[in-house]
Amino acid sequence: MKNQLRKHLKANLLNKIIYLINKYRFGFLGKNVFFDKNVDFIRFNKNLNVSDNVVFKSGAKISCCNASAKISIGANTTIGYNAFIFSSKSIEIGKDCMISSFVYIVDSSHGIKKNINMNSQDEIADNISIGDDVWIGQGSTILPGVKIGNGSIVGARSLVNKSIGENKIYAGNPAKEIGIRS
């Protein structure tokens, strides 16, 4: 049985045109991918791989920030309203995930050495891996080097700066374990 979101999605002509355009822009684009209005794919789109039945809601911004950066999104995953996914190295999102609105996933940061202008410092990047069947709550931030295990949940407005095991429930700033899925 389809969930409520997919049950009520109606691909119109504009969505079909956007799909066809992106089919040639992306490294891989699966079947039945839904693009809401105002979704931006910024830079190096050939490094973006999107599996079947992914939903991109309005305002989402996805960017492979350099020629070697990669983003992979698994089947049946939903990217929420105004979510930002910015990769300088590698971001992998598994299948059947829910990335809520206003989620920020970024795999890079900048150096913080004293006596060097902040905008002149080297970028520091580390892979992000989000397993299958993961739910990231509204307004959360996922930082470089984080791995989130299959079946885990990140509560709304959480700052995830450390990896999370499978079937864990984390929340807070910084995020801490508050439960286990049963």
Side-chain angles (χ1 to χ4, degrees):
M1 181 171 159
K2 289 184 177 182
N3 69 19
Q4 180 178 334
L5 169 68
R6 284 179 170 74
K7 181 178 178 182
H8 296 288
L9 281 179
K10 302 280 188 243
N12 58 26
L13 180 59
L14 180 59
N15 187 268
K16 291 175 183 177
I17 291 169
I18 292 169
Y19 176 88
L20 289 173
I21 291 168
N22 287 332
K23 184 86 172 156
Y24 295 100
R25 291 175 59 206
F26 293 1
F28 176 79
L29 181 61
K31 297 176 185 169
N32 302 316
V33 175
F34 182 85
F35 299 96
D36 210 346
K37 60 187 175 198
N38 302 320
V39 176
D40 290 326
F41 297 95
I42 309 163
R43 295 183 264 178
F44 303 102
N45 293 317
K46 285 290 182 191
N47 298 348
L48 179 59
N49 293 308
V50 177
S51 296
D52 297 343
N53 304 310
V54 171
V55 174
F56 292 97
K57 292 186 178 180
S58 181
K61 302 209 179 310
I62 317 295
S63 179
C64 295
C65 297
N66 60 59
S68 61
K70 302 207 178 308
I71 297 174
S72 174
I73 301 172
N76 306 309
T77 289
T78 300
I79 307 299
Y81 296 104
N82 300 300
F84 282 31
I85 302 172
F86 284 70
S87 175
S88 290
K89 192 169 183 186
S90 175
I91 297 174
E92 293 182 13
I93 300 172
K95 63 183 179 181
D96 302 309
C97 292
M98 295 186 300
I99 310 299
S100 299
S101 58
F102 299 99
V103 167
Y104 184 65
I105 302 172
V106 60
D107 70 358
S108 65
S109 185
H110 293 279
I112 57 170
K113 293 177 183 168
K114 196 167 123 181
N115 299 323
I116 301 173
N117 290 338
M118 295 301 286
N119 62 359
S120 299
Q121 297 206 27
D122 289 338
E123 182 177 51
I124 302 164
D126 199 359
N127 299 338
I128 292 175
S129 175
I130 298 170
D132 298 336
D133 188 31
V134 170
W135 177 16
I136 299 177
Q138 184 265 338
S140 294
T141 299
I142 312 300
L143 294 179
V146 166
K147 293 174 179 42
I148 300 175
N150 295 336
S152 288
I153 298 170
V154 174
R157 298 198 177 275
S158 295
L159 173 68
V160 182
N161 60 0
K162 294 183 179 164
S163 294
I164 297 172
E166 291 190 3
N167 297 307
K168 303 287 184 173
I169 303 170
Y170 270 62
N173 183 358
K176 293 182 170 67
E177 184 175 339
I178 61 167
I180 300 172
R181 279 181 74 186
S182 55

